[in-house]
Amino acid sequence: MTADDTFGRLDDDGYPAYTMGRAAEMLGTTQGFLRAIGEARLITPLRSAGGHRRYSRYQLRIAARGRELVDQGTPIEAACRIIILEDQLEEAQRLNAEYRRAAESANLTAAA
């Protein structure tokens, strides 16, 4: 991948553009926190060719939510589970809305 390719992907929410040190700095947390949420399988950072963890903006948003819960006194394992459940609920709600729209569209077509 060339430098131009990398620069063009920085707008990609899933592109692993941030090193562990930079991610921890941006979140105002420690690298140990990022390792802990990785071990809890909240996020799985990609690895560089040299084996270093790389994080995407999407992963940083999830990690920030985890930090918010931990800062409020939630144990890290519970915070990770809460975030996973929140994500599953959001996806289920999105699918329900999509199915509802499709059913309404089919009803309108059948009525016409």
Side-chain angles (χ1 to χ4, degrees):
M1 180 176 287
T2 67
D4 288 339
D5 292 337
T6 300
F7 183 73
R9 296 201 57 204
L10 292 178
D11 287 339
D12 181 353
D13 224 21
Y15 181 68
Y18 303 98
T19 63
M20 177 181 270
R22 180 68 180 130
E25 180 183 314
M26 291 170 66
L27 296 170
T29 190
T30 64
Q31 293 181 14
F33 174 79
L34 291 173
R35 281 188 208 93
I37 62 174
E39 289 170 9
R41 295 193 174 124
L42 179 61
I43 58 175
T44 304
L46 293 176
R47 298 282 183 150
S48 70
H52 300 281
R53 291 173 180 90
R54 306 283 296 189
Y55 297 88
S56 68
R57 287 188 307 205
Y58 174 74
Q59 290 173 323
L60 293 183
R61 283 196 303 276
I62 292 172
R65 175 71 175 127
R67 177 161 186 239
E68 178 183 311
L69 290 169
V70 169
D71 286 351
Q72 294 172 1
T74 306
I76 196 161
E77 297 82 13
C80 291
R81 185 67 183 139
I82 289 167
I83 295 166
I84 290 166
L85 290 170
E86 287 174 341
D87 190 51
Q88 289 173 346
L89 175 60
E90 184 179 323
E91 177 65 10
Q93 289 172 331
R94 185 192 65 75
L95 286 171
N96 283 339
E98 189 176 303
Y99 293 144
R100 202 173 297 115
R101 282 190 299 274
E104 288 171 1
S105 177
N107 288 340
L108 289 174
T109 303

